[in-house]
Amino acid sequence: MRSMTGFGLGDASLTDGRVVAEIRSVNQRFLDVRARLPRELVDLTMFAEQVARERLRRGRIEIIVRTEGAVLAPSTLDKSKARAAFRALAELRDELAPGADVPLSLLCAVPDLFAPAGGHEIAAVRAALKLAIERAIDAMEGMCLREGEALASDMRGRVATLRALASEVVARADEAREALRRRLRERVERLLQGVEAGFEATRIEAEVMLLAERSDITEEVTRLRSHLDQFGGALAAPSGDPCGRRLDFLLQEMVREANTLGSKAQDAAISHHVVAMKVELERLREQVQNIE
């Protein structure tokens, strides 16, 4: 089990410099990768994001890349193109404004005067960038695994608490059902006092039994226990397997069963246990949001 919250740092060396990558991850339902690269590497932004997408599955991922030293050789000026451009500007000056100055700064607006680094240099930088990001991901995943184990341990304790609460509800259910029947009988008897005879006692008893059965919570407790078993099985899955979506689904089902228990409960003790269940389920929900 892995958390979606983590941080990692990785680097890779080049001949005269170094590429350093930082990666941060926070919980999110789907995978969202954003990369920020220095100006000289900005053209490799999509490449950096794709490297992360190939390794990660969920979370909001932020990658920050910086360089140290001379990663790329400086662009070189194409002097022949610069001379030709300056001559053309001078000829235009002589035609339009003879004697005016032609500042060299005008050449900055002429495209393609500076040749970028060679293809072999770009390939080396791409390889170093990929290696730095992968090392950062390795470090982040180690942190995510450690935090995931801590979250799993916490959730196992809460699952045990929920099992105990379900057992207490079951232990109280029979007594509560009998108490409900007794209250219903007493209420019916009070309503029938002074009423002429002729009502069928068996019919009244049947109505009382029907009302009592409608408050039966056996099915809800059975389903809740089944979901807890599956939840515990998911927590015991191999650490690298993603299980966040499955845990989230099971948690939704458990919340539904707890709500039904609460609506059916006709006993103060059971209602108290159901409230405690909802508190534990909400704490589980907060933890599950961070699981990949």
Side-chain angles (χ1 to χ4, degrees):
M1 176 177 294
R2 290 189 294 196
S3 169
M4 283 188 287
T5 303
F7 171 83
L9 182 66
D11 63 4
S13 298
L14 290 162
T15 303
D16 297 315
R18 192 164 68 116
V19 177
V20 181
E22 295 180 8
I23 186 166
R24 296 178 174 86
S25 174
V26 295
N27 61 305
Q28 183 163 290
R29 187 175 182 183
F30 302 106
L31 179 63
D32 179 21
V33 180
R34 306 290 174 86
R36 288 189 294 163
L37 276 67
R39 180 178 299 177
E40 65 268 27
L41 302 182
V42 71
D43 291 341
L44 298 177
T45 299
M46 293 186 64
F47 171 75
E49 292 176 354
Q50 184 58 34
V51 171
R53 288 191 184 97
E54 291 174 356
R55 290 279 304 273
L56 304 173
R57 289 177 285 255
R58 288 183 67 188
R60 187 179 187 281
I61 311 299
E62 181 183 13
I63 302 171
I64 301 174
V65 177
R66 67 177 188 273
T67 59
E68 298 176 358
V71 173
L72 284 174
S75 299
T76 56
L77 175 64
D78 189 328
K79 294 181 180 180
S80 61
K81 286 185 179 180
R83 292 189 186 99
F86 189 79
R87 281 196 300 268
L89 290 171
E91 290 172 0
L92 184 63
R93 182 274 318 271
D94 294 340
E95 181 181 343
L96 299 178
D101 291 335
V102 181
L104 288 176
S105 59
L106 289 176
L107 294 177
C108 295
V110 180
D112 301 328
L113 285 186
F114 288 89
H120 66 284
E121 290 184 345
I122 296 296
V125 171
R126 282 170 62 95
L129 176 61
K130 184 175 187 292
L131 182 58
I133 292 175
E134 288 181 338
R135 286 174 173 172
I137 291 174
D138 289 340
M140 183 186 73
E141 286 188 331
M143 180 178 178
C144 289
L145 282 172
R146 291 189 295 272
E147 183 171 340
E149 287 304 314
L151 292 177
S153 177
D154 178 79
M155 287 190 288
R156 289 188 191 100
R158 301 196 184 282
V159 168
T161 300
L162 285 165
R163 290 185 196 278
L165 288 169
S167 296
E168 291 175 7
V169 167
V170 170
R172 175 66 182 168
D174 291 339
E175 183 179 347
R177 189 161 48 248
E178 185 57 36
L180 175 62
R181 289 181 183 141
R182 185 168 56 252
R183 291 197 303 271
L184 289 172
R185 288 194 194 97
E186 292 173 354
R187 188 177 303 172
V188 170
E189 288 174 0
R190 286 196 301 269
L191 290 172
L192 293 179
Q193 285 178 356
V195 178
E196 294 181 2
F199 291 94
E200 297 180 8
T202 55
R203 175 66 181 274
I204 295 174
E205 180 66 20
E207 292 297 328
V208 171
M209 291 291 293
L210 179 60
L211 290 173
E213 288 301 323
R214 286 178 180 172
S215 64
D216 183 67
I217 58 175
T218 303
E219 292 183 5
E220 287 74 21
V221 173
T222 299
R223 286 194 292 267
L224 177 60
R225 282 174 163 171
S226 174
H227 296 328
L228 286 171
D229 289 341
Q230 295 180 66
F231 197 94
L235 292 178
S239 59
D241 293 350
C243 59
R245 288 192 176 95
R246 183 184 178 192
L247 292 176
D248 187 54
F249 171 76
L250 290 170
L251 191 56
Q252 291 178 31
E253 294 301 308
M254 286 190 280
V255 169
R256 184 178 292 111
E257 300 302 337
N259 287 335
T260 306
L261 281 173
S263 64
K264 281 188 171 186
Q266 301 290 328
D267 179 77
I270 291 179
S271 296
H272 177 75
H273 294 324
V274 170
V275 170
M277 282 183 181
K278 291 181 178 181
V279 171
E280 291 300 319
L281 288 170
E282 176 59 23
R283 290 169 178 168
L284 275 179
R285 188 193 66 80
E286 293 174 357
Q287 301 290 43
V288 166
Q289 298 306 309
N290 290 315
I291 298 299
E292 181 181 307

